[in-house]
């Protein structure tokens, strides 16, 4: 039996409810095409559905993504999503 401490820690904390741009942001980890990825879901009021953003780094290990998720907080989420242009995208969609 293989024991992966990062997998065990994800079982205990696999999702976080954070804040971004005055809204709740649900962040969680999942595998996409075999790679561990951080997913962030944000509500887009004008379209009445959730915007889903996937955050991953090509070639990164589970340990790197797991550590990034463990360290994820409101401030680091805002830095990442702002860099990706998510705030501007939400503002444009909600202005229409």
């Amino acid at each position: 039996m293989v024991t992966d401490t990062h997998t065990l820690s994800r079982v205990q904390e696999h999702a976080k409810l954070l804040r971004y741009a005055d809204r709740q942001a649900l962040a969680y980890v999942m595998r996409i095409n075999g790679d561990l990825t951080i997913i962030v879901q944000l509500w887009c009021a004008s379209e009445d559905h959730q915007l889903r953003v996937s955050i991953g780094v090509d070639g990164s290990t589970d340990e790197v993504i797991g550590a990034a998720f463990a360290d994820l907080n409101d401030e680091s989420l805002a830095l990442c999503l702002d860099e990706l242009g998510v705030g501007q995208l939400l503002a444009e969609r909600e202005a229409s």
Side-chain angles (χ1 to χ4, degrees):
M1 180 172 150
V2 175
T3 302
D4 179 351
T5 58
H6 292 285
T7 299
L8 293 176
S9 66
R10 283 195 308 271
V11 168
Q12 295 170 6
E13 185 176 319
H14 63 278
K16 294 180 179 187
L17 188 58
L18 302 169
R19 302 237 7 118
Y20 175 73
D22 295 325
R23 68 187 77 228
Q24 290 181 330
L26 176 63
Y28 56 94
V29 290
M30 69 180 287
R31 288 211 179 272
I32 298 178
N33 298 325
D35 296 324
L36 193 62
T37 305
I38 298 172
I39 305 295
V40 180
Q41 289 185 202
L42 303 157
W43 188 258
C44 183
S46 65
E47 297 178 6
D48 198 29
H49 71 83
Q50 297 219 5
L51 175 69
R52 182 181 290 175
V53 179
S54 63
I55 303 169
V57 177
D58 290 340
S60 64
T61 63
D62 284 1
E63 290 77 20
V64 170
I65 296 298
F69 180 75
D71 292 340
L72 194 63
N73 58 35
D74 292 347
E75 294 78 25
S76 60
L77 178 66
L79 287 172
C80 180
L81 294 183
D82 287 347
E83 186 175 313
L84 294 172
V86 172
Q88 181 178 349
L89 176 68
L90 282 170
E92 290 171 1
R93 288 185 177 201
E94 292 185 344
S96 9

